[in-house]
């Protein structure tokens, strides 16, 4: 059963889109496959794919791990470019 509080815990479509676009753009710019980025982060490649397809709500610590692997600051992954 879903409650109103469930919706409060979902990120906005806008922030998911910005994160997805930035992760993919930076990954491609660094010539990394989803598998390679996953290895750098110690995440399964499917997790990286789901981030890039706006299907994952990530934690701040996950954001920091991905940012470190992409050689940017975590906040940069959430900024429109």
């Amino acid at each position: 059963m879903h409650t109103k509080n469930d919706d409060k815990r979902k990120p906005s479509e806008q922030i998911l889109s910005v994160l997805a676009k930035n992760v993919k753009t930076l990954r491609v710019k660094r010539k990394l496959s989803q598998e390679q980025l996953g290895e750098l982060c110690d995440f399964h490649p499917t997790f990286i794919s789901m981030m890039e397809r706006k299907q994952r709500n990530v934690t701040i610590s996950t954001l920091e791990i991905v940012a470190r692997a992409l050689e940017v600051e975590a906040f940069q992954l959430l900024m429109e470019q």
Side-chain angles (χ1 to χ4, degrees), residues 14-47:
Q14 179 185 6
I15 201 160
L16 283 177
S17 293
V18 169
L19 175 63
K21 180 180 178 222
N22 287 340
V23 169
K24 184 172 184 176
T25 299
L26 289 165
R27 176 181 61 76
V28 170
K29 182 178 177 182
R30 285 164 178 71
K31 298 179 172 61
L32 295 170
S33 67
Q34 290 177 340
E35 291 80 9
Q36 291 168 320
L37 180 56
E39 286 177 19
L40 288 172
C41 297
D42 199 25
F43 298 149
H44 195 278
T46 302
F47 183 84

Side-chain angles (χ1 to χ4, degrees), residues 30 66-73 76:
R30 285 164 178 71
V66 173
R68 208 172 304 123
L70 293 171
E71 300 175 4
V72 296
E73 296 295 327
Q76 292 175 282

Side-chain angles (χ1 to χ4, degrees), residues 29-65:
K29 182 178 177 182
R30 285 164 178 71
K31 298 179 172 61
L32 295 170
S33 67
Q34 290 177 340
E35 291 80 9
Q36 291 168 320
L37 180 56
E39 286 177 19
L40 288 172
C41 297
D42 199 25
F43 298 149
H44 195 278
T46 302
F47 183 84
I48 303 298
S49 173
M50 291 177 77
M51 283 180 58
E52 291 183 1
R53 290 181 288 127
K54 305 182 287 185
Q55 295 180 337
R56 288 305 304 238
N57 179 11
V58 301
T59 64
I60 292 173
S61 57
T62 297
L63 196 65
E64 289 179 322
I65 291 166

